[in-house]
Amino acid sequence: MSSLLENTTAMSDPSTEEFVFSIPKSRMIIFSFLIALLIPSLLCSIYLFYQFIRVREIRRRDTNFIIICLVIVNFIQAILDIPLALVFLYFNRTASMTPIFCQWWSFISASLFGVSLWIMAVGSIERHFFIFHSASLKKYKVILRYIPLTCCFLFPVFFNIFLVFLFPCTNDFIYFIYWCGAPCYMKSPFWQVFSWFADLGIPMCILVIANIILTIRVLQQKHRMQQTRLWSKNARMFLQLISVACLYAICWIPFLVSGQINTYTNNQSPYAFMLFFEYFIYSPFLTTTLCPFVCLFGIWRDLAVVFHRPQISVRPIATIQTNRKTTVMNKN
Protein backbone atom coordinates (compact mmCIF):
# COMPACT_ATOMS: atom_id res chain seq x y z
CA MET A 1 0.00 0.00 0.00
CA SER A 2 1.31 3.42 -0.88
CA SER A 3 2.55 5.72 1.84
CA LEU A 4 0.24 8.44 0.54
CA LEU A 5 -2.84 6.40 1.39
CA GLU A 6 -1.38 5.45 4.74
CA ASN A 7 -0.83 9.11 5.56
CA THR A 8 -4.32 9.91 4.30
CA THR A 9 -5.74 7.37 6.70
CA ALA A 10 -3.69 8.88 9.49
CA MET A 11 -5.41 12.18 8.87
CA SER A 12 -8.66 10.60 10.07
CA ASP A 13 -7.17 10.17 13.53
CA PRO A 14 -8.78 12.76 15.82
CA SER A 15 -5.57 12.89 17.86
CA THR A 16 -3.94 15.01 15.18
CA GLU A 17 -5.34 18.06 16.89
CA GLU A 18 -3.18 20.72 15.31
CA PHE A 19 -4.01 19.49 11.82
CA VAL A 20 -7.75 19.33 12.46
CA PHE A 21 -7.87 22.89 13.78
CA SER A 22 -5.96 24.13 10.73
CA ILE A 23 -8.45 22.66 8.24
CA PRO A 24 -11.34 25.17 8.37
CA LYS A 25 -9.14 28.24 7.93
CA SER A 26 -7.13 26.84 5.03
CA ARG A 27 -10.16 25.43 3.27
CA MET A 28 -12.13 28.68 3.58
CA ILE A 29 -9.21 30.54 2.02
CA ILE A 30 -9.22 28.16 -0.94
CA PHE A 31 -13.03 28.30 -1.09
CA SER A 32 -13.09 32.10 -1.32
CA PHE A 33 -10.29 32.14 -3.86
CA LEU A 34 -11.98 29.59 -6.14
CA ILE A 35 -15.34 31.38 -5.93
CA ALA A 36 -13.64 34.65 -6.91
CA LEU A 37 -12.11 32.96 -9.98
CA LEU A 38 -14.98 30.67 -10.96
CA ILE A 39 -17.67 33.24 -11.74
CA PRO A 40 -15.53 35.42 -14.07
CA SER A 41 -14.16 32.24 -15.64
CA LEU A 42 -17.65 30.97 -16.51
CA LEU A 43 -18.59 34.35 -17.97
CA CYS A 44 -15.41 34.38 -20.06
CA SER A 45 -16.11 30.84 -21.32
CA ILE A 46 -19.65 31.80 -22.31
CA TYR A 47 -18.29 34.83 -24.16
CA LEU A 48 -15.80 32.60 -26.00
CA PHE A 49 -18.56 30.16 -26.98
CA TYR A 50 -20.57 33.09 -28.31
CA GLN A 51 -17.64 34.28 -30.43
CA PHE A 52 -16.88 30.76 -31.68
CA ILE A 53 -20.46 30.44 -32.90
CA ARG A 54 -20.75 34.00 -34.18
CA VAL A 55 -17.40 34.41 -35.97
CA ARG A 56 -16.90 31.79 -38.62
CA GLU A 57 -13.24 32.67 -39.24
CA ILE A 58 -12.26 31.92 -35.63
CA ARG A 59 -14.19 28.67 -35.59
CA ARG A 60 -12.71 27.38 -38.84
CA ARG A 61 -9.09 28.38 -38.23
CA ASP A 62 -7.14 25.15 -37.68
CA THR A 63 -4.86 26.57 -35.00
CA ASN A 64 -7.88 27.51 -32.88
CA PHE A 65 -9.25 23.98 -32.70
CA ILE A 66 -7.07 23.06 -29.70
CA ILE A 67 -8.17 26.27 -27.99
CA ILE A 68 -11.84 25.41 -28.56
CA CYS A 69 -11.32 21.90 -27.13
CA LEU A 70 -9.59 23.28 -24.04
CA VAL A 71 -12.32 25.83 -23.40
CA ILE A 72 -15.01 23.13 -23.68
CA VAL A 73 -13.22 20.67 -21.34
CA ASN A 74 -12.41 23.32 -18.75
CA PHE A 75 -15.96 24.66 -18.87
CA ILE A 76 -17.34 21.16 -18.19
CA GLN A 77 -14.94 20.81 -15.27
CA ALA A 78 -15.93 24.23 -13.96
CA ILE A 79 -19.61 23.30 -13.81
CA LEU A 80 -19.24 19.65 -12.70
CA ASP A 81 -16.05 19.21 -10.68
CA ILE A 82 -15.33 22.55 -9.03
CA PRO A 83 -18.79 22.84 -7.39
CA LEU A 84 -18.18 19.48 -5.67
CA ALA A 85 -14.82 20.75 -4.44
CA LEU A 86 -16.47 23.95 -3.19
CA VAL A 87 -19.06 21.96 -1.22
CA PHE A 88 -16.24 19.94 0.32
CA LEU A 89 -14.26 23.06 1.22
CA TYR A 90 -17.26 24.80 2.80
CA PHE A 91 -18.73 21.90 4.78
CA ASN A 92 -15.46 20.00 5.42
CA ARG A 93 -17.02 16.84 4.00
CA THR A 94 -18.13 15.45 0.68
CA ALA A 95 -21.42 16.53 -0.86
CA SER A 96 -22.82 13.02 -0.42
CA MET A 97 -21.37 10.51 2.02
CA THR A 98 -21.93 7.45 -0.16
CA PRO A 99 -19.43 5.22 -2.00
CA ILE A 100 -21.12 5.64 -5.37
CA PHE A 101 -20.81 9.42 -5.12
CA CYS A 102 -17.11 9.14 -4.30
CA GLN A 103 -16.59 6.84 -7.28
CA TRP A 104 -18.31 9.23 -9.65
CA TRP A 105 -16.46 12.23 -8.23
CA SER A 106 -13.12 10.47 -8.66
CA PHE A 107 -14.04 9.39 -12.18
CA ILE A 108 -15.23 12.83 -13.34
CA SER A 109 -12.29 14.70 -11.86
CA ALA A 110 -9.58 12.28 -13.03
CA SER A 111 -11.06 11.93 -16.52
CA LEU A 112 -11.42 15.67 -17.13
CA PHE A 113 -7.94 16.43 -15.81
CA GLY A 114 -6.51 13.64 -17.96
CA VAL A 115 -8.33 14.83 -21.09
CA SER A 116 -7.19 18.40 -20.51
CA LEU A 117 -3.52 17.46 -20.06
CA TRP A 118 -3.48 15.12 -23.05
CA ILE A 119 -5.07 17.79 -25.27
CA MET A 120 -2.30 20.19 -24.26
CA ALA A 121 0.38 17.55 -24.87
CA VAL A 122 -0.93 16.67 -28.33
CA GLY A 123 -1.52 20.34 -29.10
CA SER A 124 2.10 21.13 -28.27
CA ILE A 125 3.31 18.52 -30.77
CA GLU A 126 0.75 19.64 -33.31
CA ARG A 127 1.98 23.22 -33.10
CA HIS A 128 5.41 22.04 -34.33
CA PHE A 129 3.69 20.79 -37.50
CA PHE A 130 1.72 24.00 -37.93
CA ILE A 131 4.86 26.13 -37.79
CA PHE A 132 7.51 23.94 -39.42
CA HIS A 133 5.69 21.20 -41.38
CA SER A 134 2.34 22.67 -42.37
CA ALA A 135 2.29 20.85 -45.73
CA SER A 136 2.65 17.45 -44.06
CA LEU A 137 -0.06 18.34 -41.56
CA LYS A 138 -2.51 19.19 -44.34
CA LYS A 139 -1.63 16.03 -46.26
CA TYR A 140 -1.97 13.66 -43.28
CA LYS A 141 -4.59 15.60 -41.33
CA VAL A 142 -6.51 12.52 -40.19
CA ILE A 143 -3.44 10.70 -38.85
CA LEU A 144 -1.65 13.69 -37.36
CA ARG A 145 -4.61 15.64 -35.99
CA TYR A 146 -7.97 13.91 -35.73
CA ILE A 147 -6.87 10.49 -34.48
CA PRO A 148 -4.56 11.85 -31.71
CA LEU A 149 -7.21 14.32 -30.53
CA THR A 150 -9.85 11.60 -30.47
CA CYS A 151 -7.52 9.47 -28.33
CA CYS A 152 -7.08 12.43 -25.97
CA PHE A 153 -10.79 12.21 -25.16
CA LEU A 154 -11.28 8.46 -25.22
CA PHE A 155 -8.18 7.14 -23.42
CA PRO A 156 -8.56 8.99 -20.07
CA VAL A 157 -12.31 8.27 -19.94
CA PHE A 158 -12.09 4.51 -20.56
CA PHE A 159 -8.91 4.18 -18.50
CA ASN A 160 -10.60 5.73 -15.46
CA ILE A 161 -13.77 3.70 -16.00
CA PHE A 162 -11.62 0.61 -15.55
CA LEU A 163 -9.71 1.96 -12.55
CA VAL A 164 -12.63 3.45 -10.63
CA PHE A 165 -15.55 1.12 -11.46
CA LEU A 166 -14.11 -2.18 -12.72
CA PHE A 167 -10.88 -2.65 -10.76
CA PRO A 168 -11.18 -5.75 -8.52
CA CYS A 169 -10.88 -4.24 -5.05
CA THR A 170 -12.98 -2.87 -2.19
CA ASN A 171 -13.18 0.88 -1.64
CA ASP A 172 -12.68 2.33 1.82
CA PHE A 173 -13.59 5.99 1.40
CA ILE A 174 -13.00 8.76 3.95
CA TYR A 175 -15.68 11.40 3.53
CA PHE A 176 -13.86 14.35 5.09
CA ILE A 177 -10.81 13.97 2.85
CA TYR A 178 -10.74 15.50 -0.62
CA TRP A 179 -11.71 12.98 -3.33
CA CYS A 180 -12.91 10.76 -0.44
CA GLY A 181 -9.25 9.82 0.07
CA ALA A 182 -8.71 7.81 -3.11
CA PRO A 183 -10.23 4.90 -5.06
CA CYS A 184 -9.03 1.49 -3.93
CA TYR A 185 -6.84 0.87 -6.99
CA MET A 186 -4.40 3.32 -5.41
CA LYS A 187 -3.60 0.61 -2.85
CA SER A 188 -1.76 -1.27 -5.59
CA PRO A 189 1.73 0.25 -6.03
CA PHE A 190 1.87 -0.76 -9.70
CA TRP A 191 -1.50 0.75 -10.65
CA GLN A 192 -0.87 3.85 -8.59
CA VAL A 193 2.37 4.55 -10.47
CA PHE A 194 0.97 3.48 -13.83
CA SER A 195 -2.15 5.63 -13.50
CA TRP A 196 -0.05 8.62 -12.45
CA PHE A 197 2.17 8.29 -15.52
CA ALA A 198 -0.65 7.51 -17.95
CA ASP A 199 -3.03 10.26 -16.80
CA LEU A 200 -0.69 13.00 -15.60
CA GLY A 201 3.04 12.34 -15.76
CA ILE A 202 3.50 11.48 -19.44
CA PRO A 203 1.35 14.30 -20.87
CA MET A 204 2.99 16.84 -18.57
CA CYS A 205 6.47 15.68 -19.64
CA ILE A 206 5.43 15.89 -23.30
CA LEU A 207 3.97 19.35 -22.72
CA VAL A 208 7.11 20.71 -21.06
CA ILE A 209 9.65 19.12 -23.40
CA ALA A 210 7.69 19.91 -26.58
CA ASN A 211 7.30 23.57 -25.66
CA ILE A 212 10.96 23.96 -24.67
CA ILE A 213 11.99 22.51 -28.05
CA LEU A 214 9.39 24.64 -29.81
CA THR A 215 10.69 27.80 -28.12
CA ILE A 216 14.27 27.03 -29.16
CA ARG A 217 13.28 26.29 -32.77
CA VAL A 218 11.13 29.42 -33.05
CA LEU A 219 13.95 31.62 -31.73
CA GLN A 220 16.39 30.02 -34.17
CA GLN A 221 13.90 30.58 -36.98
CA LYS A 222 13.61 34.24 -36.06
CA HIS A 223 17.33 34.78 -36.71
CA ARG A 224 17.25 32.92 -40.03
CA MET A 225 13.96 34.09 -41.46
CA GLN A 226 13.91 37.15 -43.67
CA GLN A 227 10.20 37.20 -44.46
CA THR A 228 8.79 39.44 -41.74
CA ARG A 229 5.21 38.57 -42.61
CA LEU A 230 5.75 34.81 -42.29
CA TRP A 231 7.66 35.25 -39.02
CA SER A 232 4.81 37.34 -37.60
CA LYS A 233 2.32 34.57 -38.43
CA ASN A 234 4.49 31.89 -36.82
CA ALA A 235 5.07 34.07 -33.75
CA ARG A 236 1.31 34.43 -33.23
CA MET A 237 0.82 30.66 -33.41
CA PHE A 238 3.70 30.16 -30.98
CA LEU A 239 2.50 32.73 -28.44
CA GLN A 240 -1.05 31.39 -28.56
CA LEU A 241 0.10 27.97 -27.39
CA ILE A 242 3.04 28.86 -25.13
CA SER A 243 0.86 31.09 -22.94
CA VAL A 244 -1.55 28.21 -22.23
CA ALA A 245 1.35 25.76 -21.80
CA CYS A 246 3.00 28.01 -19.20
CA LEU A 247 -0.26 28.21 -17.28
CA TYR A 248 -0.54 24.41 -17.20
CA ALA A 249 3.09 23.94 -16.16
CA ILE A 250 2.93 26.53 -13.37
CA CYS A 251 -0.30 25.14 -11.92
CA TRP A 252 0.36 21.42 -12.34
CA ILE A 253 4.05 20.93 -11.52
CA PRO A 254 3.74 21.84 -7.79
CA PHE A 255 0.86 19.38 -7.44
CA LEU A 256 2.65 16.57 -9.30
CA VAL A 257 6.01 17.01 -7.56
CA SER A 258 4.64 17.42 -4.03
CA GLY A 259 2.31 14.47 -4.54
CA GLN A 260 5.17 12.18 -5.50
CA ILE A 261 7.31 13.43 -2.62
CA ASN A 262 4.52 12.64 -0.16
CA THR A 263 3.97 9.25 -1.77
CA TYR A 264 7.54 7.97 -1.72
CA THR A 265 9.05 9.79 1.26
CA ASN A 266 8.86 8.06 4.62
CA ASN A 267 8.47 10.06 7.84
CA GLN A 268 7.98 13.34 6.02
CA SER A 269 7.06 16.49 7.86
CA PRO A 270 3.34 16.77 8.75
CA TYR A 271 3.47 20.36 7.55
CA ALA A 272 4.65 19.24 4.11
CA PHE A 273 1.87 16.70 4.02
CA MET A 274 -0.72 19.30 5.06
CA LEU A 275 0.66 21.71 2.43
CA PHE A 276 -0.09 19.15 -0.26
CA PHE A 277 -3.54 18.07 0.92
CA GLU A 278 -4.78 21.53 1.84
CA TYR A 279 -3.22 23.71 -0.89
CA PHE A 280 -1.35 22.02 -3.75
CA ILE A 281 -4.11 19.49 -4.37
CA TYR A 282 -6.34 22.37 -5.53
CA SER A 283 -3.72 24.06 -7.74
CA PRO A 284 -4.89 22.24 -10.95
CA PHE A 285 -8.18 24.11 -10.58
CA LEU A 286 -6.24 27.26 -11.45
CA THR A 287 -5.87 25.91 -14.97
CA THR A 288 -9.62 25.31 -15.11
CA THR A 289 -10.53 28.84 -14.02
CA LEU A 290 -7.72 30.81 -15.71
CA CYS A 291 -7.56 28.91 -19.00
CA PRO A 292 -10.52 30.79 -20.60
CA PHE A 293 -8.77 34.13 -20.03
CA VAL A 294 -5.50 32.88 -21.53
CA CYS A 295 -7.39 31.38 -24.48
CA LEU A 296 -9.18 34.71 -24.99
CA PHE A 297 -5.76 36.38 -25.12
CA GLY A 298 -4.69 33.80 -27.73
CA ILE A 299 -7.53 34.60 -30.13
CA TRP A 300 -7.82 38.30 -29.34
CA ARG A 301 -6.02 39.32 -32.54
CA ASP A 302 -8.55 37.37 -34.60
CA LEU A 303 -11.40 39.04 -32.72
CA ALA A 304 -9.85 42.47 -33.20
CA VAL A 305 -9.61 41.91 -36.96
CA VAL A 306 -13.30 40.99 -37.06
CA PHE A 307 -14.34 43.93 -34.88
CA HIS A 308 -12.38 46.45 -36.95
CA ARG A 309 -13.38 45.04 -40.31
CA PRO A 310 -14.90 47.80 -42.41
CA GLN A 311 -18.62 47.34 -42.74
CA ILE A 312 -20.03 47.58 -46.23
CA SER A 313 -23.50 48.97 -46.03
CA VAL A 314 -25.93 48.89 -48.89
CA ARG A 315 -28.31 51.78 -48.95
CA PRO A 316 -31.35 51.96 -51.19
CA ILE A 317 -31.06 54.45 -53.97
CA ALA A 318 -33.72 57.04 -53.77
CA THR A 319 -35.81 57.17 -56.91
CA ILE A 320 -36.68 60.62 -57.99
CA GLN A 321 -39.66 60.82 -60.20
CA THR A 322 -40.02 63.86 -62.33
CA ASN A 323 -43.32 65.00 -63.57
CA ARG A 324 -43.10 65.65 -67.16
CA LYS A 325 -45.43 68.15 -68.54
CA THR A 326 -46.83 67.17 -71.83
CA THR A 327 -47.95 70.03 -73.90
CA VAL A 328 -50.85 69.11 -75.98
CA MET A 329 -51.27 71.36 -78.92
CA ASN A 330 -54.69 71.40 -80.19
CA LYS A 331 -54.67 71.87 -83.83
CA ASN A 332 -57.38 74.10 -84.91
Side-chain angles (χ1 to χ4, degrees), residues 193-237:
V193 174
F194 183 75
S195 65
W196 184 88
F197 275 103
D199 257 348
L200 308 176
I202 293 177
M204 179 54 65
C205 289
I206 294 174
L207 186 154
V208 172
I209 294 172
N211 281 279
I212 290 175
I213 296 174
L214 180 63
T215 302
I216 295 173
R217 293 190 66 184
V218 167
L219 292 177
Q220 290 176 344
Q221 185 191 56
K222 180 181 179 182
H223 293 289
R224 295 195 309 264
M225 188 171 290
Q226 300 297 326
Q227 301 96 332
T228 306
R229 190 171 184 178
L230 181 58
W231 157 249
S232 177
K233 178 183 176 182
N234 291 345
R236 288 198 303 270
M237 289 192 292

Side-chain angles (χ1 to χ4, degrees), residues 115-306:
V115 169
S116 181
L117 281 175
W118 273 111
I119 288 176
M120 271 305 303
V122 170
S124 300
I125 298 175
E126 182 189 77
R127 198 53 53 110
H128 282 263
F129 286 96
F130 271 120
I131 296 177
F132 301 105
H133 308 285
S134 57
S136 299
L137 189 63
K138 291 179 181 179
K139 185 177 181 181
Y140 303 104
K141 182 178 291 187
V142 174
I143 298 176
L144 297 178
R145 289 196 65 200
Y146 297 146
I147 292 179
L149 276 174
T150 302
C151 293
C152 290
F153 285 92
L154 296 181
F155 169 72
V157 172
F158 285 101
F159 183 61
N160 283 286
I161 286 176
F162 166 72
L163 291 178
V164 176
F165 297 106
L166 303 179
F167 194 83
C169 63
T170 302
N171 287 300
D172 186 17
F173 292 117
I174 305 172
Y175 299 115
F176 58 90
I177 302 290
Y178 181 74
W179 245 26
C180 304
C184 60
Y185 77 86
M186 293 285 285
K187 297 177 182 179
S188 169
F190 169 79
W191 285 105
Q192 181 192 15
V193 174
F194 183 75
S195 65
W196 184 88
F197 275 103
D199 257 348
L200 308 176
I202 293 177
M204 179 54 65
C205 289
I206 294 174
L207 186 154
V208 172
I209 294 172
N211 281 279
I212 290 175
I213 296 174
L214 180 63
T215 302
I216 295 173
R217 293 190 66 184
V218 167
L219 292 177
Q220 290 176 344
Q221 185 191 56
K222 180 181 179 182
H223 293 289
R224 295 195 309 264
M225 188 171 290
Q226 300 297 326
Q227 301 96 332
T228 306
R229 190 171 184 178
L230 181 58
W231 157 249
S232 177
K233 178 183 176 182
N234 291 345
R236 288 198 303 270
M237 289 192 292
F238 167 73
L239 291 174
Q240 184 189 56
L241 181 80
I242 200 68
S243 57
V244 183
C246 288
L247 173 67
Y248 271 71
I250 292 171
C251 297
W252 271 96
I253 288 178
F255 166 76
L256 295 176
V257 173
S258 61
Q260 294 307 297
I261 291 175
N262 279 286
T263 300
Y264 297 106
T265 303
N266 295 323
N267 300 321
Q268 69 268 33
S269 168
Y271 295 101
F273 189 71
M274 186 187 73
L275 188 65
F276 170 73
F277 262 97
E278 295 302 320
Y279 293 98
F280 285 154
I281 201 169
Y282 304 106
S283 64
F285 283 136
L286 292 176
T287 62
T288 306
T289 53
L290 296 178
C291 186
F293 299 103
V294 181
C295 291
L296 178 61
F297 167 77
I299 66 168
W300 185 253
R301 185 180 178 89
D302 295 335
L303 289 175
V305 171
V306 174

Side-chain angles (χ1 to χ4, degrees), residues 51-64:
Q51 295 300 336
F52 293 150
I53 297 172
R54 171 179 171 268
V55 183
R56 184 180 181 184
E57 293 88 341
I58 296 176
R59 187 174 66 252
R60 299 192 64 180
R61 191 183 297 274
D62 289 339
T63 53
N64 290 338

Side-chain angles (χ1 to χ4, degrees), residues 5 22 34 42 60-61 82 86 212 224 238-239 313 326:
L5 280 181
S22 69
L34 284 179
L42 291 174
R60 299 192 64 180
R61 191 183 297 274
I82 292 184
L86 291 174
I212 290 175
R224 295 195 309 264
F238 167 73
L239 291 174
S313 59
T326 304

